[in-house]
Amino acid sequence: MFLKHIFALVFLIATAHSVQADDAPITRLKSFLASSSSLAADFKQISFDKSGRPAQNSFGKFYLSRPGKFRWNYQKPFVQEIVSNTGKVWFYDADLEQVTVKQLDDSLGSTPALLLTGEVNIEEKFILQEQGKEDDGMNWVKLSPKNEESGFKYILIGLNGNQLGGMELSDNFGQLTRIYFSNIQLNPKLDDALFNFKAPKGVDVFEN
């Protein structure tokens, strides 16, 4: 489930250099999505149970190269990877010794991951609402999917000044996931080999 959550959140990573700090959060968010290039960051993911209590913390590294390439490396407490390239997404779970491959296209419905390709207008897929500033100092924007079959209730995007600071996803099963980013590198030069996934020897591969 954690892999599905992070996949749904991945579209939100982007950078903007021409946005002013006093711009409205929705304007800044649109600029993020419109001007993304590449990014590298550490992340902390917190998964909550149905009672709202933290159930698990995960840590790792994230890499993005638009259009359509990203990698999430989960390092603790479990080794997992999500890699997107050439229109496909690979989900690797080291403990299960299993790889699942999916096509990154309309067959995934209106999931936020489609926005990573740069071919989806955010306002065509979501209703955007500003949520104000929370105690963490970030301005949050709520994205509610227009497609009722999207699999999630809403996504919150936290903007820390002109940079992306955090994200939150609430799915239709009552599970909540929040991610915070740190040590962000904007527009680094990333090796294309970083986004080439090769299944480890001996693992089961399932392709949809």
Side-chain angles (χ1 to χ4, degrees):
M1 185 62 69
F2 296 138
L3 291 178
K4 293 180 180 179
H5 278 192
I6 199 67
F7 177 57
L9 289 168
V10 72
F11 81 102
L12 301 173
I13 311 299
T15 66
H17 297 286
S18 60
V19 184
Q20 299 300 316
D22 57 354
D23 283 344
I26 290 178
T27 300
R28 281 183 269 164
L29 172 59
K30 291 179 181 178
S31 296
F32 288 150
L33 297 175
S35 60
S36 60
S37 176
S38 64
L39 184 146
D42 296 331
F43 71 86
K44 174 182 179 180
Q45 177 178 319
I46 307 172
S47 300
F48 298 85
D49 61 22
K50 293 183 179 180
S51 299
R53 296 187 298 265
Q56 179 175 303
N57 291 346
S58 302
F59 302 87
K61 291 185 175 294
F62 174 78
Y63 306 93
L64 167 73
S65 179
R66 290 192 69 176
K69 298 178 182 178
F70 57 82
R71 172 183 281 272
W72 295 87
N73 284 347
Y74 283 80
Q75 299 171 337
K76 297 178 181 180
F78 307 107
V79 176
Q80 298 173 323
E81 298 177 12
I82 304 177
V83 181
S84 174
N85 196 353
T86 63
K88 290 185 177 182
V89 183
W90 289 263
F91 300 84
Y92 170 54
D93 190 310
D95 285 348
L96 296 179
E97 297 185 334
Q98 178 177 303
V99 175
T100 302
V101 188
K102 294 181 179 292
Q103 295 290 328
L104 186 64
D105 57 22
D106 288 338
S107 67
L108 293 173
S110 61
T111 61
L114 286 176
L115 293 181
L116 189 65
T117 66
E119 298 176 353
V120 177
N121 186 323
I122 188 173
E123 292 180 297
E124 291 180 355
K125 297 292 184 180
F126 302 94
I127 298 172
L128 279 64
Q129 299 172 298
E130 295 182 13
Q131 301 295 295
K133 183 176 290 188
E134 292 191 359
D135 294 339
D136 55 19
M138 287 190 284
N139 289 103
W140 290 83
V141 178
K142 183 178 182 180
L143 285 76
S144 302
K146 295 181 179 181
N147 183 352
E148 296 181 356
E149 299 179 355
S150 63
F152 56 92
K153 294 180 180 179
Y154 66 81
I155 291 174
L156 291 177
I157 308 169
L159 298 171
N160 190 0
N162 291 336
Q163 294 187 14
L164 179 70
M167 300 183 295
E168 179 178 297
L169 171 70
S170 175
D171 69 18
N172 289 331
F173 299 98
Q175 295 189 347
L176 187 69
T177 303
R178 180 169 283 204
I179 296 176
Y180 293 98
F181 295 96
S182 60
N183 300 322
I184 298 175
Q185 300 178 48
L186 303 179
N187 295 320
K189 185 176 181 180
L190 300 176
D191 191 338
D192 284 342
L194 186 64
F195 306 100
N196 295 331
F197 181 83
K198 183 177 181 180
K201 186 177 180 178
V203 305
D204 295 321
V205 178
F206 303 93
E207 185 161 358
N208 296 343

